[in-house]
């Protein structure tokens, strides 16, 4: 079975894009505060942007806020991406942005929920509970994980920038986020574990890239969060000009023409990436 | 408005118990792999154990594995706890064990989902994204958070035991989990932020307790995970003999008589706690 990242690489090649379209049905962007409106919002966005999307990334929170009906909207949206995959003749992965993190049978139940029940192909996870909390999600090569490494929010540094060491007397310290990248690289034995590294911090992106030259990054923060696309791409792309997905949500969904906005983002990325 | 922990203290006093009954509808424990069976499993457990429960803790993963119907089962179970609160004339808090962790509007949507849509009174969160990922959940004093500090799984040490320092040249360092406890204490300005500290590691429990003498702990690991109740309580109780919730799931749900098992756990805890 092909690995998650080999499937993603194929899609990136098919559409010559590193754009990941975010599916975030914010209440403020819906005509009514209902799961039906959220579904319609997502289906429209998927229909318009699929040709330019290397992946889609639904954010679980914006569906969960509608309760059971929101869960149904999430499933329907993931199915709609699969329909676009068939229509375009090119498999488009769905990354469930859920930032889960739990242990043992609980982690297995979350994996069951994300991959079997919802039909997602990858999920975002938090690293705080360590290796055994990640394992149930990366047992099958075709199912992937993006592990939180360096996030784009103001409080990211509270933990992620702390200097850590495995041996306090060694005098060798590094920020926690680099240790997470190092661990993730060692856990990535099936080509299905990547990292979330915020696009708002090009210096951190460059440090992680130097440490793990081959891993895939999911790099949020361009658009609404104000990250600089050129700086982020120069810092985070692999030497082959790929290896990085740029999720854009409101920057596309709030434009007058979502298809055009997605095409524009794809082209803006293409100025720095290589296909 | 009373704070979450003052409400919990009242319940602890009312029932003279530190037992937190876990609602984990494992597939292996259900007569059929359906959300209806999960609901029935939870309603029965709630009915039988409510008099002995200082709190209930549904684990989101075991509901999410049933998709939208599981979400409905979760909501129904939380409502059933509220009905028991009315029946017993004593408010029983529900802690949603969801281990979420996200930023900005996403965190707000998760808070909306947990507190408004589902009706939970507290939630477990991961600390990896820092203060602003916690803030949306602790804005209202009556809504609480238990922040992951030291977990009970084998891989907990991968991050949590790393030596961290704010000043590498100082020679002063501590394990990451103690830094998380320290941060959480400073963020706990509304008496509604506690810590998850595994009961399987009494030494870590004692170290966290020494650092934060007043905070509430949620201490899983007794029962199925094999933690020693006496050691955990001696290490983790506050000087007033309270300050710690012991979640038990399978140790109660898999017994022939759940009510008796809950009463027995309550009494076993009572040998060390003070009310």
């Amino acid at each position: 079975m092909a690995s998650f990242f080999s499937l993603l690489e194929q899609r990136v090649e098919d559409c010559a894009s590193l754009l990941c379209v975010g599916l975030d049905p914010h209440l403020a962007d819906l005509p009514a505060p209902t799961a039906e409106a959220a579904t319609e919002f997502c289906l429209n966005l998927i229909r318009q942007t699929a040709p330019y999307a290397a992946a889609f990334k639904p954010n679980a929170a914006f569906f969960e806020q509608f309760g059971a009906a929101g869960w149904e909207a999430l499933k329907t949206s993931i199915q709609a991406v699969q329909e676009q995959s068939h229509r375009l003749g090119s498999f488009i992965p769905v990354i469930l942005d859920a930032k889960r993190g739990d242990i043992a049978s609980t982690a297995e139940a979350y994996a069951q929920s994300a991959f079997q029940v919802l039909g997602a192909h990858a999920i975002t996870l938090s690293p705080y509970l360590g290796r055994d909390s990640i394992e149930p999600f990366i047992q099958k090569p075709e199912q992937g994980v993006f592990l939180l490494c360096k996030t784009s929010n103001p409080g990211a540094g509270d933990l992620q920038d702390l200097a850590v060491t495995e041996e306090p007397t060694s005098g060798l310290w590094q920020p926690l986020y680099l240790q997470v990248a190092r661990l993730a690289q060692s856990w990535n034995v099936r080509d299905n574990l990547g990292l979330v590294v915020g696009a708002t911090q090009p210096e951190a992106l460059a440090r992680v890239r130097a440490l793990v030259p081959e891993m895939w990054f999911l790099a949020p923060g361009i658009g609404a969060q104000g990250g600089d696309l050129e700086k982020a791409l120069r810092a985070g792309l692999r030497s082959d000009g790929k290896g990085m997905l740029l999720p854009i949500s409101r920057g596309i969904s709030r434009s007058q023409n979502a298809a055009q906005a997605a095409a524009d983002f794809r082209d803006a990325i293409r100025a720095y990436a290589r296909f």
Side-chain angles (χ1 to χ4, degrees), chain A:
Chain A
M1 173 61 87
S3 71
F4 175 74
F5 284 119
S6 69
L7 294 167
L8 177 64
E9 299 257 5
Q10 181 62 53
R11 174 60 190 161
V12 164
E13 193 167 306
D14 288 349
C15 65
S17 173
L18 296 174
L19 171 67
C20 173
V21 175
L23 301 174
D24 297 6
H26 281 264
L27 285 180
D29 294 336
L30 303 179
T34 65
E36 292 68 33
T39 307
E40 199 39 61
F41 170 92
C42 293
L43 296 189
N44 177 51
L45 204 51
I46 292 162
R47 214 165 25 231
Q48 290 198 57
T49 63
Y52 317 106
F56 282 93
K57 182 178 78 64
N59 185 324
F62 296 112
F63 297 89
E64 292 183 20
Q65 65 183 342
F66 297 111
W71 214 247
E72 209 54 67
L74 176 52
K75 190 172 179 175
T76 302
S77 299
I78 293 173
Q79 285 169 340
V81 175
Q82 290 171 331
E83 285 156 24
Q84 291 294 324
S85 294
H86 289 301
R87 192 178 68 84
L88 296 167
S90 169
F91 170 72
I92 311 175
V94 175
I95 302 161
L96 180 64
D97 194 1
K99 301 190 176 69
R100 300 297 195 260
D102 213 311
I103 65 175
S105 58
T106 310
E108 284 163 22
Y110 278 127
Q112 168 78 10
S113 168
F115 299 138
Q116 262 64 53
V117 178
L118 290 171
H121 311 103
I123 186 170
T124 57
L125 295 180
S126 167
Y128 193 70
L129 284 88
R131 181 174 190 157
D132 59 303
S133 71
I134 313 301
E135 284 294 337
F137 297 89
I138 53 173
Q139 287 304 307
K140 296 183 181 170
E142 72 275 20
Q143 297 170 344
V145 164
F146 286 92
L147 196 64
L148 295 183
C149 174
K150 184 77 163 88
T151 56
S152 55
N153 58 310
D158 288 340
L159 265 70
Q160 297 161 28
D161 289 349
L162 287 170
V164 308
T165 183
E166 291 181 32
E167 185 42 73
T169 58
S170 69
L172 299 172
W173 298 84
Q174 63 179 351
L176 177 59
Y177 73 89
L178 286 184
Q179 177 68 10
V180 168
R182 193 184 298 272
L183 286 170
Q185 187 176 45
S186 74
W187 299 340
N188 181 30
V189 295
R190 295 182 194 88
D191 190 34
N192 59 350
L193 181 57
L195 296 170
V196 177
V197 189
T200 51
Q201 297 167 73
E203 197 189 319
L205 259 173
R207 292 187 70 180
V208 182
R209 178 51 77 207
L211 186 69
V212 295
E214 302 301 327
M215 290 185 85
W216 270 90
F217 296 167
L218 181 68
I222 301 297
Q225 291 182 59
D228 180 315
L229 184 65
E230 178 179 349
K231 281 188 186 157
L233 287 165
R234 287 192 188 279
L237 285 171
R238 288 189 314 221
S239 61
D240 70 353
K242 303 190 188 73
M244 200 173 166
L245 282 179
L246 286 299
I248 315 273
S249 302
R250 285 167 278 184
I252 291 174
S253 67
R254 289 187 180 168
S255 77
Q256 288 297 311
N257 184 333
Q260 189 59 51
D264 290 348
F265 272 114
R266 180 200 58 180
D267 293 343
I269 295 167
R270 197 141 54 167
Y272 305 98
R274 286 198 305 280
F275 299 100

